Amino acid sequence: METFICVVEAGSFSAAAKRLNVGQPAVSKSIAQLEDRLGVRLVLRSTRGLTPTEAGQQYYERAKRSIEEAHEAELVARGTGKGLSGKLRVSAAVTFARLHIIPRLNTFLSAHPDLRIDVRLDDRNIDLVEQGIDVALRMGTLPDSSMTARHIAQTRRYALATPRYLQSHGTPRTPAELAQHEIVVYSPNGGNAAWDFQRGDTVTSVVVTGRIHVSAAEGVRAAVLADMGIAIASEWMFASEISNGEVQAVLEDWSLPPIDVWALFPTGRMVSAKARAFADFVEAILKEITPTT
């Protein structure tokens, strides 16, 4: 498995042989024996070198994870598990990662110099096993209760807008007054949105039909910051702007249901020390952003 991984990453038998400090015939023989045992072709030769077949690519991804986990198990057994190494594959929503994860990654990498991170930015709920993801950051209600999940934070939601918008259009005093305002609707699946406001024992549901519907958080941020209306957003989405006054909350005597943040791990696999450490890292970030939650 290690030889095959090296062949794929090096791109040729000769380059893999140099990395492994063995002869090229030994590498060729090892791959041939592996193909015979599996009963499939793993690599294709061409004038440009070697490329994995579809079966080879799938085997490479799983074999690499297996080798990494075996190496990690050895480190833990030797009492050196804190020194994380290898590759960590992370999935996160685009805006959340851009605002809060990517700018802080250097801190995590500095603590683990032998670790590499592959961050897949995607607002969709991708298949973790199929995409080879070690840990995914998701928000809201989990669609599949069978997933291995860890609750890492709960973030508040606000109705908010820029001071310039509110100066031009006035500030709503009750949820019902939102009907008189321009509304930026976060609508990833299309359609209108229902917002449930609560004050004491009173719950008021408001269906908003704003002229601006946006399917991604990045668009909500852009529209609000361009003074285009009021939006409902999680605190993390505008944490910096709320702090410096560029955006301000309205209807503060009313509360909205908070949003849960989860770290998800592939079902059927042992959660790696790398994935657990990264979840701890993100949890600490969220405590900074929403210290009272």
Side-chain angles (χ1 to χ4, degrees):
M1 289 171 69
E2 287 179 323
T3 300
F4 175 69
I5 290 168
C6 191
V7 166
V8 172
E9 294 181 346
S12 70
F13 287 153
S14 59
K18 288 180 181 179
R19 291 189 185 184
L20 296 169
N21 196 29
V22 297
Q24 181 175 331
V27 173
S28 299
K29 182 179 179 180
S30 180
I31 299 305
Q33 290 175 335
L34 183 60
E35 289 180 327
D36 286 343
R37 185 170 68 83
L38 296 175
V40 294
R41 289 288 299 275
L42 296 176
V43 294
L44 297 174
R45 297 174 182 266
S46 70
T47 55
R48 292 173 294 179
L50 294 178
T51 56
T53 62
E54 182 179 355
Q57 183 62 34
Q58 293 176 349
Y59 184 77
Y60 164 77
E61 292 171 357
R62 286 160 176 78
K64 189 170 178 64
R65 288 201 300 270
S66 297
I67 293 296
E68 289 176 352
E69 289 178 359
H71 178 61
E72 196 170 271
E74 289 184 0
L75 290 175
V76 172
R78 292 171 182 163
T80 58
K82 292 184 179 179
L84 303 179
S85 63
K87 180 184 285 189
L88 175 68
R89 302 165 186 84
V90 176
S91 172
V94 177
T95 303
F96 179 72
R98 182 183 70 78
L99 291 174
H100 302 296
I101 302 300
I102 302 297
R104 294 171 170 85
L105 269 185
N106 194 49
T107 300
F108 189 71
L109 290 172
S110 295
H112 307 288
D114 294 326
L115 185 67
R116 294 173 292 130
I117 298 183
D118 180 359
V119 184
R120 308 290 178 88
L121 302 182
D122 200 321
D123 290 333
R124 299 171 302 169
N125 291 335
I126 63 175
D127 187 305
L128 305 191
V129 175
E130 182 180 310
Q131 297 296 321
I133 300 299
D134 297 301
V135 55
L137 303 175
R138 301 256 177 95
M139 299 185 188
T141 303
L142 297 181
D144 185 353
S145 60
S146 68
M147 291 191 228
T148 303
R150 170 180 158 188
H151 186 265
I152 58 175
Q154 191 175 74
T155 67
R156 295 169 294 194
R157 289 197 301 166
Y158 295 111
L160 42 76
T162 60
R164 289 183 296 274
Y165 170 84
L166 297 174
Q167 288 169 5
S168 299
H169 298 80
T171 301
R173 303 300 176 188
T174 66
E177 291 182 15
L178 290 172
Q180 304 166 19
H181 285 265
E182 296 292 341
I183 302 297
V184 178
V185 182
Y186 175 51
S187 180
N189 300 315
N192 298 321
W195 295 344
D196 294 325
F197 290 86
Q198 183 171 356
R199 185 172 63 182
D201 295 330
T202 302
V203 177
T204 299
S205 183
V206 178
V207 178
V208 291
T209 58
R211 293 189 295 163
I212 305 168
H213 285 233
V214 185
S215 63
E218 200 68 25
V220 174
R221 276 181 52 81
V224 169
L225 295 176
D227 313 319
M228 298 176 70
I230 298 173
I232 295 292
S234 296
E235 186 172 10
W236 66 260
M237 196 185 299
F238 289 94
S240 176
E241 290 80 8
I242 293 172
S243 177
N244 63 27
E246 189 176 351
V247 165
Q248 67 183 59
V250 299
L251 302 173
E252 290 189 90
D253 53 340
W254 294 81
S255 63
L256 288 148
I259 293 291
D260 291 312
V261 184
W262 306 86
L264 301 185
F265 310 98
T267 301
R269 278 174 48 195
M270 180 182 70
V271 178
S272 69
K274 291 177 287 190
R276 289 195 302 271
F278 190 78
D280 292 341
F281 174 68
V282 175
E283 185 172 9
I285 290 173
L286 288 168
K287 284 181 179 178
E288 292 179 15
I289 298 169
T290 57
T292 60
T293 60

